[in-house]
Amino acid sequence: MKKNLTFVAGSLLGGLILVACQPDAIKNPKSGLSTQQSMAAQQATVSGQLNHAEVLALFNDRSVEGRNLIKQFTFKAWYTDDGLVRQRVTKGGESVRLHGWWHIDEQGRHCLKWSGRDEHCRIIIQEDDMYKKIYSSPNGEQTTISEFWKFADGNFYGL
């Protein structure tokens, strides 16, 4: 009986090792990419991409002014040093205040979680004097979500 258990356990372990060593065999149904390809696309460095320390220095206890290109609004935000973010969004002459949380993840991405919404993490790049928040899809396509053109220390806008 003990021999049979050892054989079964060894067979299971061997099977797990084989599966773990073959990430290309597992395809993501949405992107069609293998696990290995998807991970490489997510980790690929984009030209001008800021690292963890640079993103932290750019946002920590700083106010920013910018524009969301997808939803077509301007904003002013304050990223506190304890992970809170306060933002005033202006669209069509109307202004709305939002609050949420922010952090920089282990990949150096700027992460935001607005109250009542899912968290999203995006890379930050610098192009000349403009900073941009970029969404990188698993297949490597990149979309600029936001542009930031002004940064100031502390709660510059009184948010």
Side-chain angles (χ1 to χ4, degrees), residues 6 22 69 76 78 85 95-96 106-107 109 115 140 150:
T6 302
Q22 298 179 5
L69 302 175
K76 294 177 180 176
W78 175 40
V85 60
S95 184
V96 176
E106 65 280 349
Q107 296 170 2
R109 298 179 304 170
S115 183
K150 183 175 182 178

Side-chain angles (χ1 to χ4, degrees), residues 60-79:
N60 193 44
D61 193 26
R62 307 226 32 226
S63 293
V64 302
E65 187 172 348
R67 169 180 46 234
N68 182 305
L69 302 175
I70 304 300
K71 297 183 180 178
Q72 296 294 306
F73 61 77
T74 59
F75 59 85
K76 294 177 180 176
W78 175 40
Y79 295 88

Side-chain angles (χ1 to χ4, degrees), residues 2 11 33 41-42 47 63-64 66 93-94 106 126 133 155 157:
K2 192 172 190 179
S11 296
L33 298 175
Q42 289 175 3
S47 178
S63 293
V64 302
E94 294 191 30
E106 65 280 349
Q126 182 177 7
K133 183 180 284 193
N155 188 3
Y157 301 109

